[in-house]
Amino acid sequence: MTATKVTMAQAINTALRDAMTEDPSVVVFGEDVAPLGGVFRVTDGLTGAFGEQRCFDTPLAESGIAGMAIGMAMNGFRPVVEMQFDAFAYPAFEQITSHLAKMGNRTRGRVRLPVVVRVPYAGGIGGVEHHCDSSEAYYAHTPGLTVVAPATNEDAYGLLREAIASPDPVIFLEPKRHYFTREEVDFARAVPPIGRAVVRRPGRDATLIAYGPSVPVALAAAGQAATEGRDLAVVDVRSIVPFDDETVTRAVAATGRAVVVAEAPGFASVAAEIGARVSEQCFPYLEAPVRRVTGFDIPYPPPKLEHHHLPSVNRILDAVDELNWDAA
Amino acid sequence: MTATKVTMAQAINTALRDAMTEDPSVVVFGEDVAPLGGVFRVTDGLTGAFGEQRCFDTPLAESGIAGMAIGMAMNGFRPVVEMQFDAFAYPAFEQITSHLAKMGNRTRGRVRLPVVVRVPYAGGIGGVEHHCDSSEAYYAHTPGLTVVAPATNEDAYGLLREAIASPDPVIFLEPKRHYFTREEVDFARAVPPIGRAVVRRPGRDATLIAYGPSVPVALAAAGQAATEGRDLAVVDVRSIVPFDDETVTRAVAATGRAVVVAEAPGFASVAAEIGARVSEQCFPYLEAPVRRVTGFDIPYPPPKLEHHHLPSVNRILDAVDELNWDAA
Amino acid sequence: MTEAVRLLNPDGTVHPDARYAMPDRAELRARYRSLVLGRRLNEQAGALVRQGKLAVYPSSHGQEACQVAAAAVLRPGDWLFPTYRDTVAAVERGVDPVEVLMMLRGDWHCGYDPTAHRVAPQSTPLATQLPHAVGVAHAATLKGEDTVVMALCGDGATSEGDFHEALNFAAVFRAPVVFLVQNNKYAISVPLARQSVAPSLADKGIGYGVPAVLVDGNDVAALLAVLGEAVTRAATGGGPTLVEADTYRIEAHTNADDATRYRDESEVEEWRTRDPLTRLRTYLGLTGEEFRDEAEELAARLRTGLSAEGAPDPAELFAHVHATPTPQLTAQADLLQAELEAEEEPA
Amino acid sequence: MTEAVRLLNPDGTVHPDARYAMPDRAELRARYRSLVLGRRLNEQAGALVRQGKLAVYPSSHGQEACQVAAAAVLRPGDWLFPTYRDTVAAVERGVDPVEVLMMLRGDWHCGYDPTAHRVAPQSTPLATQLPHAVGVAHAATLKGEDTVVMALCGDGATSEGDFHEALNFAAVFRAPVVFLVQNNKYAISVPLARQSVAPSLADKGIGYGVPAVLVDGNDVAALLAVLGEAVTRAATGGGPTLVEADTYRIEAHTNADDATRYRDESEVEEWRTRDPLTRLRTYLGLTGEEFRDEAEELAARLRTGLSAEGAPDPAELFAHVHATPTPQLTAQADLLQAELEAEEEPA
Ligand SMILES: Cc1ncc(C[n+]2csc(CCOP(=O)(O)OP(=O)(O)O)c2C)c(N)n1
Ligand SMILES: Cc1ncc(C[n+]2csc(CCOP(=O)(O)OP(=O)(O)O)c2C)c(N)n1
Ligand SMILES: [Mg+2]
Ligand SMILES: [Mg+2]
């Protein structure tokens, strides 16, 4: 198969289709996923292709959805559930935190839960309140969960395939503002596995570290910086848990300067984690403090103001400008 | 009034009593808080003293408790609700995250929610699963919440009084393993306000930064270090949100070395935040990377193994030992 | 309980009921006016979305009788808890329609002052407003006030845990809340049959010990009678009531939704014959021309009010998060301010 | 529905019932044995707590009929979902009692292999196990298996949102689940009246369209009949059943609880007269000496099995968090290992 141009929604849809075709234990359920095909059409056509037993709508109750997924996984299935929007996964928080994350450990590995929780997440779509939360920190902080955030359509396909095949629960964070972005995807090409970060752009002067919807912004910033004479590397974290210290540390050590970019409010966030570990692991190499360009510590803004909140090329470049260049 | 020796549970009980006496809009409710006086007896006697309308039991439903508190606050009350144990606050996560934290902002300050959510939290009591989570990161990462964790009985009293008086929602994290620790408390003495950290012990060689149940451990480590010739400062964060950058930064800048101590799993935690911001703000002063001594990234262990998980004096001193002393 | 209370048949004739009296004609005429204005509001809001002046609009077309009655039965001190779909109810309660629509225009999360008219912010996370309603009501009880709270939700929302917890709290505390479930047969694409297999949603009241009534949700007369009685019971210490209104969502879930994917047009056509406006108009012997000018005035006000360009001051992003901004927020506000000033400077 | 199904009166006489047949005497004798063993287990576990050999024990003293019947009606392929209080049910299902109590001794979160006997880990977060039970059951349906899932919870747990969502999911998916609510009148200190004002908890079934039965929870014969019927219905495509068992918690919530703070001893005494063992013993004409040796053997096994010193290998803390430990966990495990080795070295 050669590369085709598809949207991220289509790439994810194809991943679900391929997984369902290969493994009859894969089931998809949630709110509006069946006849409607999901509010973002990510599950479009699955019920038609695989029947109502393989892709079905549930009553409107996220805790029930997560809990039912846990039970089905206990009894031989690999559920892939959709939480309609980031903030609407919060009713499932207890199920995710107290059970999904802990069952394997609780049972000494006897009961593993191969569940994927798909979360259309983050902002940039002009959504009203509760539709644009970047909720990754809640999951990343919870031991037992694998947390993945693809930035490219090829990763969306490849990482989801791996997530579905994983014996463990995976929180799969889909940058919803890229659902309708088209990119070349070679479905036959293996992407690096969960647990591996990827250097999307090499660079010698400083390293931008990002994931999910912030990767394209970081790349744009690096593009812009290049025209201003600064050569920025961009690392796509991809897998928040497990975290690829090696790739990130190597990239930062090589440049001696780093900026972490993420949409979520910065306080006690994944960006904080990256900042803290990079600061610790790269200490002898750092020419400047690791800076964070994140969402502000505010509830996600209303549509007309969201552009002020989101990490922008300018804000990233401003942060880069502050990286002690005089010391160089 | 002069200082009396009381347990932390008594100090909190006194804070509730004094607040209820002074302000008839203060009400206390939750599970088992009324005739039983709470499973930790923190609300002991309140129903007797103030009547069933001021301190009452609810049906067993944490989301309902948080949601009802929001509604009562919208209609003139100052509810102080108890979540029986840390992990049992998770069913209330959506109410806390999507409403309690956001209502003031949502309504442009027209509807403020003076609600205190008391959470007996963290471990060290030999509790079975779900009774020992350190859940502060979930709240600290959520914009709009004030998050406080007292380490001393005087702070437990003083900070709770301030939390109840606050126009905003406060997550009040009570280190449950200290409920029955006795300390001198002068109820008349004002403690530093929410938003202020306190240097519990000055020191010249390195700074330990801790909050809640980790403060006594850090102090013990500093005591031990002193016998080995190292002079460690201990900063008690007290107020996680808002965070007192000034006090923390000043303490770390003065010593050039820092270790953050907290029980919660370290990944994407409050300790990560402190590590990241101290690394950023104190960069020119740091002789060594900021180290974290935290719980492991595992579900809270069963009772027989918890001592391996919790930050210990030894583990803190090991981390201190690694702070590039050769460079000094 | 499976027979819905009805006072007016779809053809406008009277459906006699032993328990509920027909509201008087003056009252009904006033409510007819509200229905006309509500319908016009729904239509105009839809048009504004098409013109890009509103980001999104969940229409209550077909449900205007519920919208109007829910607000009309309330007394000044009472509270209304609306959802995203209940714009018309908030307006009937007295909130300025332009202010209500500020949320859907993307200006701010809530465009009106909830305390001014005792209308809570429109709730998006489903069923989460119901425990708040219980809290407001219980607070009123503790204060010795006879305030009643009208709490709205949809059929889909009844499946959420918060629906359960709220109904149960209300029952246990005998809180003066009227829960009005607008059963419009769909939760986005998911039909009622996938939401519940109970004979009715009103049946859920039994398990809480809460009196429950199923009412024809397109019959404003019946709604006024049933909800009015529930409000009176609540105000006089009789506790909560659950009311299920049998109605239908004529439009798609929102403009962003494609309803042809999950329902037949024939079903919609069938429900159009039960239109809440038509039946009341016929009963009252009106022509349909009544209140047209007022409706057009309202529409014009919406067009003007929502055409204004511009956005709120970005400084507001930081102003209300806490009563007093934290030092961190102040620093972040300064950063944004500096950026905005830099942008304004000539390069 | 307010009259509880009963086959045996508290005094051991027969209470004839038109719908449910009395289980045969051999079956009842076998269950009497289970009751005796269950009671002995409760007593011995309490003693072990007092001796510091168990951290905590929530006793099912007084509820043994529910415990025994819930497990006894299951077939080998069925699943049981117990709570922290349902140790005796897990043991009746065949799980080794020492393994079950490993959790309460503090060794590990679950001491047995849930797949071996199809007994889920005992659930602590209230009601959260109920959606899992629905998932296991729905999975069985999809696989074409006739597996039934018995899901236990307490009266307090019925107030949680997860109870609601699980009952509703089970109804909508017609999942083969039997929900057994052991209404022991208290949730720690909170009495039933503060939990629900419905005529019965079984009434909650109506709102989900789930058949529900109220049964005398101290009458093992009635429980066997009612639960057995529910299992059969579930296994043959009839969907879920909600069973409320009217019973009582004779001991405090756990050893850590002081029940005198919230209930009268007279109430306890009253319930002692409805003891599940006594009434079955009287009906069967037994002396009370039967199965005493076996019970003592069980007690002895508990004493020995739970007296072993030592703790699990700390390396296990990291071994099971993910199927394959992350690099971060491996590093953390190494850190702990190094500490432990350093401790072992002479200073
Ligand atoms: C907790 C939560 N989950 C999911 C959603 C997404 N969502 C918005 S409206 C809706 C359907 C609601 O249906 P119903 O309660 O019947 O109300 P209606 O829209 O028909 O008025 C869904 C699923 C949400 N807003 N909140
Ligand atoms: C979600 C949650 N909230 C609170 C608790 C604390 N807690 C443990 S048992 C209990 C009472 C449960 O009562 P009930 O459901 O009647 O069961 P019983 O203990 O009487 O068997 C409470 C409040 C918990 N385990 N889980
Ligand atoms: Mg609906
Ligand atoms: Mg109970």
Side-chain angles (χ1 to χ4, degrees):
Chain A
M1 207 202 280
T2 51
T4 350
K5 232 173 161 153
V6 297
T7 65
M8 188 179 276
Q10 285 165 341
I12 297 170
N13 184 278
T14 307
L16 294 170
R17 269 173 207 273
D18 290 356
M20 290 173 88
T21 305
E22 280 177 26
D23 182 350
S25 73
V26 176
V27 287
V28 170
F29 56 93
E31 295 159 7
D32 302 294
V33 297
L36 188 64
V39 294
F40 294 107
R41 303 294 183 269
V42 168
T43 57
D44 197 21
L46 298 182
T47 302
F50 299 97
E52 288 183 3
Q53 303 214 322
R54 302 281 307 280
C55 176
F56 55 90
D57 287 328
T58 65
L60 215 170
E62 293 77 9
S63 186
I65 292 169
M68 174 147 158
I70 291 168
M72 290 188 72
M74 289 176 78
N75 200 1
F77 284 85
R78 304 184 97 81
V80 183
V81 299
E82 174 173 308
M83 295 284 148
Q84 200 159 81
F85 285 86
D86 27 69
F88 305 144
Y90 300 157
F93 191 72
E94 182 186 31
Q95 285 291 350
I96 291 174
T97 306
S98 288
H99 288 302
L100 188 62
K102 295 191 169 77
M103 187 69 83
N105 182 65
R106 176 179 302 148
T107 61
R108 293 180 145 144
R110 285 151 168 168
V111 180
R112 294 243 152 249
L113 297 178
V115 174
V116 178
V117 181
R118 293 182 37 244
V119 185
Y121 97 115
I125 60 157
V128 294
E129 214 191 346
H130 309 291
H131 290 76
C132 292
D133 280 17
S134 284
S135 46
E136 66 270 24
Y138 300 130
Y139 306 115
H141 181 61
T142 304
L145 298 175
T146 297
V147 184
V148 172
T152 70
N153 295 2
E154 206 155 275
D155 262 1
Y157 176 83
L159 292 175
L160 182 54
R161 289 302 305 274
E162 192 186 345
I164 296 172
S166 164
D168 282 324
V170 178
I171 307 293
F172 195 80
L173 299 163
E174 302 172 0
K176 66 170 90 70
R177 74 162 113 150
H178 290 302
Y179 271 142
F180 304 113
T181 307
R182 279 185 189 279
E183 282 176 6
E184 293 276 316
V185 174
D186 181 347
F187 290 108
R189 183 164 53 208
V191 301
I194 291 175
R196 285 273 296 281
V198 164
V199 177
R200 293 277 174 217
R201 177 190 171 116
R204 280 161 314 176
D205 295 336
T207 303
L208 305 180
I209 307 166
Y211 54 85
S214 296
V215 173
V217 187
L219 285 168
Q224 172 75 22
T227 70
E228 295 164 10
R230 253 184 209 143
D231 188 18
L232 305 185
V234 176
V235 179
D236 176 357
V237 168
R238 302 169 76 247
S239 169
I240 299 174
V241 180
F243 190 81
D244 183 353
D245 281 309
E246 211 183 302
T247 302
V248 173
T249 303
R250 199 183 318 117
V252 176
T255 58
R257 291 178 170 83
V259 175
V260 188
V261 186
E263 265 186 53
F267 200 89
S269 66
V270 170
E273 176 61 39
I274 299 175
R277 56 200 305 126
V278 166
S279 297
E280 187 167 351
Q281 295 172 12
C282 299
F283 186 77
Y285 304 98
L286 289 179
E287 306 286 345
V290 178
R291 296 237 167 242
R292 289 182 268 168
V293 174
T294 66
F296 297 122
D297 292 315
I298 61 174
Y300 197 86
K304 288 201 175 179
L305 296 176
E306 69 176 342
H307 59 290
H308 295 302
H309 175 70
L310 296 171
S312 63
V313 166
N314 275 346
R315 202 171 285 159
I316 294 170
L317 294 180
D318 285 352
V320 169
D321 279 345
E322 285 170 34
L323 296 177
N324 272 358
W325 296 100
D326 296 346
Chain B
M1 207 201 282
T2 50
T4 352
K5 228 170 166 158
V6 297
T7 65
M8 188 180 277
Q10 285 164 340
I12 298 170
N13 183 277
T14 307
L16 293 170
R17 268 173 206 272
D18 290 356
M20 291 173 87
T21 304
E22 281 178 25
D23 181 350
S25 73
V26 176
V27 286
V28 169
F29 56 94
E31 296 159 8
D32 302 294
V33 297
L36 188 64
V39 294
F40 293 107
R41 301 296 182 268
V42 168
T43 56
D44 197 21
L46 298 182
T47 302
F50 299 95
E52 288 184 4
Q53 303 214 323
R54 302 281 307 278
C55 176
F56 55 91
D57 287 328
T58 65
L60 214 168
E62 293 79 7
S63 186
I65 292 169
M68 174 146 157
I70 291 168
M72 290 188 72
M74 289 175 78
N75 200 1
F77 284 85
R78 304 185 96 81
V80 183
V81 298
E82 175 173 306
M83 295 285 147
Q84 201 160 80
F85 286 85
D86 28 67
F88 305 144
Y90 300 157
F93 191 72
E94 182 187 30
Q95 285 290 351
I96 292 173
T97 306
S98 289
H99 288 303
L100 188 62
K102 295 189 169 77
M103 187 69 84
N105 183 65
R106 176 179 303 147
T107 60
R108 293 180 145 143
R110 285 150 168 168
V111 180
R112 295 243 152 250
L113 297 178
V115 173
V116 178
V117 181
R118 293 182 38 244
V119 185
Y121 97 116
I125 60 157
V128 294
E129 214 191 345
H130 309 289
H131 289 76
C132 292
D133 281 16
S134 285
S135 45
E136 65 271 24
Y138 300 130
Y139 306 115
H141 180 60
T142 303
L145 298 175
T146 297
V147 184
V148 173
T152 70
N153 295 2
E154 206 154 275
D155 261 0
Y157 177 83
L159 292 175
L160 182 53
R161 289 302 305 273
E162 191 187 346
I164 296 172
S166 165
D168 282 324
V170 179
I171 307 292
F172 196 80
L173 300 162
E174 302 172 0
K176 66 171 89 74
R177 73 162 112 151
H178 289 303
Y179 271 142
F180 305 112
T181 306
R182 277 184 190 279
E183 282 175 6
E184 294 275 315
V185 174
D186 181 348
F187 290 109
R189 182 162 54 206
V191 301
I194 290 175
R196 286 273 296 280
V198 163
V199 177
R200 292 279 173 217
R201 178 189 169 115
R204 278 162 314 177
D205 295 336
T207 304
L208 305 181
I209 308 165
Y211 54 86
S214 296
V215 173
V217 187
L219 285 168
Q224 173 75 20
T227 70
E228 294 163 11
R230 256 189 205 138
D231 188 19
L232 305 185
V234 176
V235 179
D236 176 356
V237 169
R238 303 170 75 248
S239 169
I240 298 173
V241 180
F243 190 81
D244 183 354
D245 281 309
E246 210 183 303
T247 303
V248 173
T249 303
R250 198 183 318 118
V252 176
T255 58
R257 291 178 171 82
V259 174
V260 187
V261 186
E263 265 186 52
F267 200 88
S269 65
V270 170
E273 177 62 38
I274 299 175
R277 59 199 305 125
V278 167
S279 296
E280 187 168 349
Q281 295 171 12
C282 300
F283 187 78
Y285 305 96
L286 288 178
E287 306 285 343
V290 178
R291 297 238 166 241
R292 289 182 268 169
V293 175
T294 66
F296 298 122
D297 292 314
I298 60 174
Y300 197 86
K304 288 202 175 178
L305 296 175
E306 69 176 344
H307 58 290
H308 295 300
H309 175 70
L310 295 171
S312 62
V313 166
N314 275 346
R315 200 171 286 158
I316 294 170
L317 294 180
D318 285 351
V320 169
D321 279 345
E322 284 169 34
L323 297 176
N324 275 356
W325 296 100
D326 295 346
Chain C
M1 185 140 20
T2 28
E3 186 76 347
V5 174
R6 174 182 280 180
L7 299 180
L8 286 178
N9 292 313
D11 65 3
T13 58
V14 172
H15 185 280
D17 188 282
R19 298 210 310 120
Y20 297 94
M22 182 72 79
D24 68 35
R25 293 184 80 90
E27 155 97 21
L28 287 177
R29 194 182 152 91
R31 294 295 79 81
Y32 177 72
R33 172 179 168 278
S34 304
L35 290 177
V36 171
L37 295 185
R39 174 66 51 84
R40 191 67 188 88
L41 190 157
N42 277 326
E43 287 165 359
Q44 184 59 53
L48 287 166
V49 170
R50 288 188 293 278
Q51 295 156 23
K53 303 236 162 99
L54 279 181
V56 63
Y57 184 71
S59 173
S60 63
H61 186 126
Q63 302 175 221
E64 289 94 345
C66 299
Q67 297 285 307
V68 163
V73 295
L74 298 181
R75 301 152 309 152
D78 294 338
W79 274 83
L80 178 72
F81 275 74
T83 75
Y84 51 89
R85 196 177 299 290
D86 304 313
T87 297
V88 171
V91 171
E92 174 75 5
R93 177 76 180 148
V95 187
D96 181 85
V98 174
E99 287 188 6
V100 181
L101 291 171
M102 282 294 149
M103 172 181 80
L104 300 171
R105 196 174 80 157
D107 285 65
W108 200 261
H109 313 294
C110 176
Y112 52 88
D113 180 351
T115 58
H117 295 279
R118 300 197 162 206
V119 177
Q122 287 178 280
S123 181
T124 297
L126 296 165
T128 54
Q129 72 280 13
L130 305 179
H132 308 170
V134 178
V136 168
H138 188 57
T141 306
L142 293 188
K143 291 195 282 186
E145 295 167 358
D146 76 346
T147 308
V148 172
V149 183
M150 176 71 63
L152 309 186
C153 76
D155 46 314
T158 65
S159 297
E160 290 279 7
D162 270 6
F163 173 87
H164 176 71
E165 301 190 10
L167 266 285
N168 192 42
F169 273 56
V172 166
F173 291 110
R174 224 180 155 73
V177 186
V178 180
F179 297 96
L180 173 60
V181 178
Q182 290 171 73
N183 177 358
N184 65 6
K185 307 301 175 288
Y186 289 91
I188 309 187
S189 71
V190 180
L192 184 62
R194 202 18 70 117
Q195 214 61 250
S196 173
V197 295
S200 78
L201 298 175
D203 277 331
K204 292 186 187 289
I206 301 170
Y208 306 109
V210 168
V213 189
L214 174 63
V215 58
D216 184 331
N218 289 10
D219 175 358
V220 77
L223 282 158
L224 289 167
V226 166
L227 293 172
E229 185 196 59
V231 166
T232 304
R233 174 162 56 243
T236 52
T241 305
L242 170 63
V243 178
E244 174 188 358
D246 177 31
T247 184
Y248 194 79
R249 192 193 77 206
I250 295 287
E251 306 273 328
H253 173 68
T254 67
N255 50 289
D257 177 37
D258 174 7
T260 63
R261 285 193 163 233
Y262 54 82
R263 69 181 187 188
D264 271 353
E265 190 51 32
S266 64
E267 189 183 274
V268 184
E269 283 315 313
E270 159 64 23
W271 274 93
R272 281 190 197 276
T273 68
R274 303 188 219 169
D275 189 82
L277 276 73
T278 321
R279 81 170 77 173
L280 184 58
R281 182 168 66 225
T282 315
Y283 171 71
L284 291 174
L286 302 178
T287 65
E289 293 302 302
E290 296 82 4
F291 311 114
R292 191 178 259 198
D293 295 348
E294 272 184 83
E296 288 314 315
E297 263 167 50
L298 170 65
R301 240 164 49 68
L302 291 178
R303 282 192 300 267
T304 328
L306 294 163
S307 291
E309 289 298 320
D313 180 358
E316 274 214 80
L317 288 174
F318 308 93
H320 312 300
V321 183
H322 299 267
T324 311
T326 64
Q328 287 75 29
L329 281 179
T330 304
Q332 293 170 21
D334 290 349
L335 177 94
L336 177 57
Q337 188 56 34
E339 283 181 6
L340 294 172
E341 281 164 18
E343 274 171 33
E344 270 172 29
E345 280 165 25
Chain D
M1 183 138 25
T2 28
E3 185 75 347
V5 174
R6 174 182 281 178
L7 298 179
L8 287 177
N9 291 314
D11 65 2
T13 58
V14 172
H15 185 280
D17 188 282
R19 300 212 309 120
Y20 297 94
M22 182 72 80
D24 67 35
R25 292 184 82 88
E27 156 96 20
L28 287 176
R29 194 182 153 90
R31 296 295 78 82
Y32 178 71
R33 173 179 167 277
S34 304
L35 290 177
V36 171
L37 297 186
R39 175 65 51 85
R40 190 68 188 88
L41 190 156
N42 278 326
E43 287 165 359
Q44 184 59 53
L48 287 164
V49 170
R50 288 188 293 277
Q51 295 157 23
K53 303 236 163 101
L54 278 181
V56 62
Y57 184 71
S59 173
S60 63
H61 186 125
Q63 302 175 221
E64 290 95 345
C66 298
Q67 298 286 306
V68 163
V73 294
L74 298 181
R75 302 151 308 151
D78 295 338
W79 274 83
L80 178 72
F81 274 74
T83 76
Y84 51 90
R85 196 176 300 288
D86 304 313
T87 297
V88 171
V91 171
E92 174 74 4
R93 176 78 181 147
V95 186
D96 181 86
V98 174
E99 286 188 7
V100 182
L101 291 171
M102 284 292 151
M103 173 181 81
L104 300 171
R105 197 175 78 157
D107 285 65
W108 200 261
H109 312 293
C110 175
Y112 53 89
D113 179 352
T115 59
H117 295 279
R118 300 197 162 207
V119 178
Q122 287 177 281
S123 181
T124 298
L126 297 164
T128 55
Q129 72 280 12
L130 305 179
H132 308 170
V134 177
V136 168
H138 188 57
T141 305
L142 292 187
K143 292 195 282 186
E145 295 167 0
D146 76 345
T147 309
V148 171
V149 183
M150 176 71 63
L152 310 186
C153 76
D155 46 314
T158 66
S159 297
E160 290 279 7
D162 270 7
F163 173 86
H164 176 72
E165 301 190 9
L167 266 285
N168 192 43
F169 273 56
V172 166
F173 292 109
R174 226 179 154 73
V177 185
V178 180
F179 296 96
L180 173 60
V181 178
Q182 290 172 73
N183 178 357
N184 65 6
K185 307 301 175 289
Y186 288 90
I188 309 185
S189 71
V190 180
L192 184 62
R194 209 1 83 111
Q195 215 61 251
S196 173
V197 295
S200 78
L201 298 175
D203 277 331
K204 291 184 187 291
I206 302 169
Y208 307 108
V210 169
V213 189
L214 175 63
V215 59
D216 184 331
N218 288 10
D219 175 358
V220 78
L223 282 158
L224 289 167
V226 166
L227 293 172
E229 185 196 61
V231 166
T232 304
R233 176 162 56 244
T236 53
T241 305
L242 172 62
V243 178
E244 175 187 357
D246 177 32
T247 184
Y248 194 79
R249 193 193 75 206
I250 295 288
E251 306 274 327
H253 173 69
T254 67
N255 50 288
D257 176 39
D258 174 7
T260 63
R261 284 192 163 233
Y262 54 82
R263 69 181 188 188
D264 270 354
E265 190 51 34
S266 64
E267 188 183 274
V268 183
E269 283 315 313
E270 159 65 22
W271 273 93
R272 281 190 198 277
T273 66
R274 304 187 220 168
D275 190 81
L277 277 72
T278 321
R279 81 170 79 173
L280 183 58
R281 181 167 67 228
T282 315
Y283 171 70
L284 291 174
L286 302 177
T287 65
E289 293 302 304
E290 296 82 2
F291 311 115
R292 191 178 259 199
D293 294 350
E294 272 184 82
E296 288 313 316
E297 265 166 48
L298 170 66
R301 240 164 47 68
L302 290 178
R303 283 192 300 267
T304 327
L306 294 163
S307 292
E309 289 297 322
D313 180 358
E316 274 213 82
L317 287 174
F318 308 92
H320 312 300
V321 183
H322 299 267
T324 311
T326 64
Q328 286 75 30
L329 282 178
T330 304
Q332 294 170 21
D334 290 348
L335 177 94
L336 177 58
Q337 189 55 33
E339 283 181 7
L340 295 171
E341 280 163 18
E343 275 172 32
E344 269 172 30
E345 280 166 25

